[in-house]
Every structure is written in structure tokens, then in C-alpha cells.
Amino acid sequence: MQANEALEAATQSQFMVNNLWILIAAALVFIMHLGFATLEAGFVQRKNVLNILFKNSMIISIGILTYCLCGFNLMYPGFAEDSSGFLAFAGVGLSHTTEGYSAADGTYTYWTDFIFQAMFAATCATIVSGAVAERIKLVPFLLFATLFVAISYPITGSWKWGGGWLDAMGFYDFAGSTLVHSVGGWAALAGIILLGPRAGKYTAKGMRAIPGHSMPLATIGVFLLFFGWFGFNGGSVLSADPELVGLVFVTTSLAAAAGALGAFFTSYIMFRSYDLSMVLNGILGGLVGITAGADVMSPTDAVIIGFIAGIIIPLSVSFFDRLKLDDPVGATSVHLVCGIWGTLAVAIFGDCGEGVGGFMAQLTGVLAIGAFTFLFAFIVFFAIKATMGIRVDVEEEARGLDVGEHGMSAYS
Amino acid sequence: MKKIEAIIRVTQFEAVRDALAEVGVQFFTLSEVRGYGLQKGAKLVYRGANHGADFIARLQMDILVHADKVGSVIKAIEESGRTGKVGDGKILVLNVDSVVRIRTGERDEAAL
């Protein structure tokens, strides 16, 4: 009898510790939105800073609300076991339940589950915001972001995290290299294809640099993102498991550090300059790269994955520039390309994906989610372009979106 | 009455200011100006694209002096502002028709 009570008390304490860690992780992921806001603000010109901050403020707000309204129930619709689910919806709004969430069978409460996932949701739209910066109209962008977070992100998310068909076929994405980062990156790619480059970026005389207005802001942003990533990856353990959460902190940090070095060397070799913006992107590339397998990699694997992600960054930035796809913050390189790399790396390193089968599952996930997301984003952006228009006019772009869209300045 | 306009290197400002103080110039108007020309600014690289800082930062000093002091002021600026490399700047001397001190209403020589 006494032993039973002691066991129950221990289970209850474990439940509390697990729940608390996921809540702390949710708060850390929230800080990433400040990281995105400052990073993007630093990488754009002075005249567009208020506009980018406005978009970031709205996206986190829209993201949480739509996730409550429908996103959470689209992403976790409760597919039947081994059903290979593709699309299901568990109803509008939140409905408190303890089923599967009690101390006995769950590691956290329903509310904790929702808020942790809700903090993730807006991230994918924030990624788009940076890539399309300095030329997209405000309201059409917000309309896109709403539809994207409310519909596209939860559907592709349900295929894996919701227990859908990709999960059933063995696709692995621990914290969202594909589910979150590549998804944002694919939409960003669709956006910049339809928008076209910023005026004066690609001229007859070659590519012109449009330097970001504040490297200190960008640096603060990247450090905040690095900080928040402890929650993004560490919380994705979905418990406070001492061994796993500890490992995830280590692999996450090592990959970020190696990403910085990879970008440092590669950008020096390519451009003969110590380009801070590339090192910052390299840190993020390393973080995105390790996200898919942060819990199954050894420290050595993490360093290699991060380092390769860092090498990818300057190559990818140059590649998109050669295609005249203008991305002021490097979001497509960081989130799309390194997200794909990190997802495939799960099958190459670590002990999760074995042999060709593992690689095919990873590739299928990348392609299926990529195709769905890109098509969704392209169609929505295209429809908005055809009706309301998505790009500000030439004079407004020259004068800046702060005055053009808001009648305000970031710095007065 | 003369107005001396001296365009100098930013790095020579302290030296020129001290040299001017030594020859009795107590006041001048200072402006941050930018030059554009053959001498290009520093080569910069941002995300793989080269871009020069096309404009070169310089300082301009506007100094009002009695005609008999022009020689010593020019000499002071010349000696303190020179590095010997391209871009040391220029000194212009202009005639001034009239000067008014707004506070007192003093005119010309008395207002200098």
C-alpha cells in the first residue's frame, strides 16, 4: 500500500517536471519570433524596418489564433492507428481533454501540448516574411500568411507528427527540418518567384549589393534564435528525459557552431571576405540541419551535419542569386536548402535511417511535403497577385514601405 | 574680409583644429561633406556582391578671417592637413562683401 502511494507520488512529480519543461520550451520557441523579427529587421534597408516588424508582430498573433481555431485540430486530428492518414479535421477550436494527457499515460497536459505546437506554427510564415521583404504589399502578405498557417502547415504536419501516412512509412523528422523549416522555405520560394527581385538588385552590369541596415540587430536576432532553438529541439523530446534532452542540447549547439565555421571558410574562399551575414546564416543553417535528427545523432554526426549546412549557405545564396531569385535575408538557403539537407542527413548519419529504405522514406517526405507546400503557396500567391496584386509600385519601393504602407518610420 | 573653405580628411581634423587654434582662429563652421570622384572609397563585399562606398567622407571648415590673416591660416591648414597621399583636400579663399552679427547688429570687420 505504501509502495503504491510512493510510486504514484513519483509518477505525479515526473508528470509535473515533464509538463514544466515543455512549457519552458514553448516560451523559448516564442523568443525565436523576436529573433526572426530582429534578424529580418537587420537585414533589410532602413526604410523598410517598420514594415518587417509589423509583419512579424502580426504573424505570431495570427499564428496563435489560427492554430487555436483550426490548425491544432488539422495537425493532430487523431488518425486511426496505422491508417496512413492524409487529411482529417478534429473540429473547430480547442476542447479540453485529459484522454492521453494524464500522469499515467502522457507526459504533459492538453494545454501544454497546444501552446508548444502553437509557438511552432507561426514560424513557417515568419520564414516567408524575410524572403519577400522590401517589396510585398502588407495586406496580401498577411492574407497569405493566415491561409498558410491555418491550412497548409497543419496538413503537411499531420502527415508526420499527427501520425499520418509519412509517419506510417517510417519518415523521420524530429523537430521539423522539413515540417517547419522547409515548409517555410518552399512558400518563400514560391513568393519570390512570383514577386520578382527588388528594384536595382540584378542590373545589366551585374548583381548589386543592397546591404542590410543593421548588422547588430541581425546578430542579436541570430543569437536569440540559437537560444530559442534549445526549446525548439529540446522541447521536441516531448518529455524532460534527462539523457535525451541533454543530448539534444549538445547536438544542437555543436551543429550551430560547425555551421558558423562552414560558412566562414566557404564564404571566404568564394568572396574573399569575412562576411558576417554569411556566418549568421551559417549558424542558422547548422541549426536547421540538425533539427531533423537532433535526438539520434552523435556529437561527431552533429558537427559534420552542421558544418556541411554551413558550407551550403554561401553556395546556395549564390545559386539563388544566379537565378535572379532575390531573398534579402537568405531564408530559402537557410530554411529550405538546409532543411532538405538535414532531413536527408537523418538517413546518412546516426542510427535511425538504415540503408536505402531509410533514405527513400526521407526523400519521399521531402518531396511530398515540398510539392504540396510549394503548390499551395504558389496557387495562393498567384490568386492574390491576380486579384489584389502583391507588389508595391516602383515609387513606393524606392521611398520605402514604412512610409508607403504605414505612413510611419522605424527611426524618427 | 575673406572666407576660407577648407576641405580636409576626417582623420586630420584634430591636427588642423589645433593648428588653427595656434594661429588664433577661435571659431569656424564645420560640415560633414562627401566627395565623389576618381578616388574610390573602400571596396565592400556583401553576400557575394562587390560594392564600393562610392562617396568619400570629408570635413569642410568655413573660416571667416581678416584679409591680413589669410596667409597664416592657409599655412596652418596646409601643414597640419597634409599626409602626402591622394585625397588631402583643397583650400579655397573667397571674398566676403559683408558680415552681420545678428545678436548685436555689428557690421563687417567688427562682426568677424
Side-chain angles (χ1 to χ4, degrees):
Chain A
M1 189 66 196
Q2 235 170 7
N4 269 352
E5 269 170 32
L7 188 67
E8 200 173 298
T11 312
Q12 193 60 37
S13 332
Q14 203 181 13
F15 183 60
M16 287 182 76
V17 171
N18 283 334
N19 189 65
L20 187 59
W21 164 236
I22 305 302
L23 283 176
I24 292 169
L28 286 169
V29 179
F30 171 76
I31 282 293
M32 289 173 70
H33 292 283
L34 177 60
F36 276 118
T38 36
L39 169 65
E40 291 173 16
F43 271 180
V44 301
Q45 300 164 85
R46 237 184 128 81
K47 60 189 180 184
N48 298 318
V49 173
L50 185 129
N51 177 253
I52 202 94
L53 294 175
F54 196 97
K55 286 196 292 182
N56 275 275
S57 307
M58 288 304 293
I59 287 168
I60 176 70
S61 311
I62 290 170
I64 294 173
L65 289 171
T66 53
Y67 207 67
C68 171
L69 183 72
C70 63
F72 187 56
N73 281 339
L74 259 179
M75 193 148 162
Y76 298 92
F79 290 129
E81 200 80 11
D82 298 321
S83 68
S84 299
F86 184 84
L87 178 66
F89 184 47
V92 172
L94 296 182
S95 50
H96 180 229
T97 171
T98 53
E99 196 188 331
Y101 288 103
S102 67
D105 48 15
T107 51
Y108 41 76
T109 66
Y110 174 81
W111 305 118
T112 306
D113 193 15
F114 167 75
I115 200 65
F116 182 63
Q117 301 297 341
M119 289 306 162
F120 272 58
T123 308
C124 62
T126 308
I127 292 165
V128 185
S129 142
V132 299
E134 309 203 85
R135 59 216 194 272
I136 198 166
K137 280 187 187 172
L138 178 70
V139 174
F141 173 78
L142 292 177
L143 185 61
F144 169 80
T146 306
L147 295 172
F148 189 54
V149 179
I151 300 168
S152 179
Y153 168 82
I155 289 177
T156 49
S158 77
W159 296 352
K160 163 66 192 152
W161 290 345
W165 68 278
L166 280 175
D167 192 46
M169 71 174 288
F171 172 68
Y172 194 75
D173 188 359
F174 170 62
S177 284
T178 288
L179 263 64
V180 180
H181 295 282
S182 280
V183 159
W186 284 114
L189 183 63
I192 61 179
I193 287 173
L194 284 169
L195 262 178
R198 288 169 292 172
K201 170 77 178 178
Y202 306 108
T203 65
K205 285 197 278 177
M207 181 174 65
R208 201 169 65 83
I210 306 180
H213 92 290
S214 170
M215 286 302 117
L217 266 183
T219 307
I220 292 171
V222 168
F223 276 67
L224 283 171
L225 282 162
F226 194 158
F227 179 64
W229 229 285
F230 289 119
F232 197 90
N233 284 359
S236 292
V237 172
L238 300 180
S239 78
D241 184 303
E243 187 67 30
L244 265 185
V245 175
L247 171 70
V248 165
F249 269 53
V250 171
T251 54
T252 301
S253 302
L254 287 174
L261 263 68
F264 167 85
F265 289 123
T266 313
S267 66
Y268 183 75
I269 292 165
M270 289 174 69
F271 313 128
R272 294 286 147 192
S273 76
Y274 305 116
D275 189 331
L276 176 64
S277 76
M278 287 292 178
V279 169
L280 294 176
N281 277 170
I283 291 174
L284 295 180
L287 288 164
V288 171
I290 196 61
T291 292
D295 63 332
V296 291
M297 294 301 160
S298 72
T300 314
D301 295 335
V303 168
I304 298 170
I305 291 171
F307 193 76
I308 292 175
I311 292 173
I312 289 173
I313 292 293
L315 295 168
S316 171
V317 168
S318 290
F319 171 75
F320 284 118
D321 275 333
R322 209 156 298 159
L323 296 177
K324 296 192 163 53
L325 293 173
D326 183 20
D327 177 354
V329 306
T332 43
S333 299
V334 167
H335 300 280
L336 174 57
V337 181
C338 289
I340 292 172
W341 158 240
T343 309
L344 298 179
V346 171
I348 303 170
F349 300 91
D351 43 1
C352 179
E354 267 124 30
V356 181
F359 189 80
M360 289 317 289
Q362 295 306 94
L363 191 64
T364 307
V366 166
L367 294 177
I369 292 179
F372 180 92
T373 307
F374 184 80
L375 274 176
F376 181 93
F378 197 89
I379 290 166
V380 172
F381 269 134
F382 191 83
I384 293 174
K385 186 179 179 175
T387 50
M388 333 166 58
I390 47 172
R391 190 165 174 142
V392 299
D393 61 44
V394 186
E395 285 104 69
E396 177 174 344
E397 189 179 343
R399 202 175 44 191
L401 273 64
D402 288 4
V403 172
E405 296 289 276
H406 306 273
M408 296 173 85
S409 295
Y411 304 101
S412 44
Chain B
M1 294 178 297
K2 299 282 183 186
K3 179 184 176 194
I4 299 175
E5 289 181 6
I7 293 170
I8 62 163
R9 284 183 193 277
V10 177
T11 50
Q12 298 308 107
F13 173 70
E14 271 84 12
V16 174
R17 179 196 61 197
D18 294 349
L20 285 171
E22 267 175 39
V23 297
V25 174
Q26 305 293 339
F27 179 82
F28 52 82
T29 306
L30 183 70
S31 325
E32 291 179 355
V33 294
R34 294 189 295 174
Y36 183 89
L38 285 176
Q39 186 207 358
K40 295 295 179 196
K43 266 275 167 256
L44 301 177
V45 184
Y46 181 76
R47 299 178 81 72
N50 290 310
H51 65 112
D54 293 337
F55 298 100
I56 304 156
R58 291 286 183 266
L59 292 173
Q60 178 174 332
M61 301 165 140
D62 293 348
I63 310 161
L64 287 174
V65 290
H66 292 281
D68 57 2
K69 288 195 71 179
V70 167
S72 65
V73 169
I74 288 177
K75 189 161 170 282
I77 298 172
E78 231 183 321
E79 284 170 1
S80 58
R82 180 179 295 143
T83 68
K85 294 187 206 111
V86 175
D88 277 348
K90 285 199 171 60
I91 303 171
L92 283 64
V93 183
L94 292 81
N95 284 318
V96 174
D97 293 339
S98 176
V99 179
V100 178
R101 177 171 279 133
I102 294 171
R103 173 171 58 88
T104 57
E106 286 168 295
R107 291 292 195 269
D108 299 339
E109 298 281 333
L112 279 184

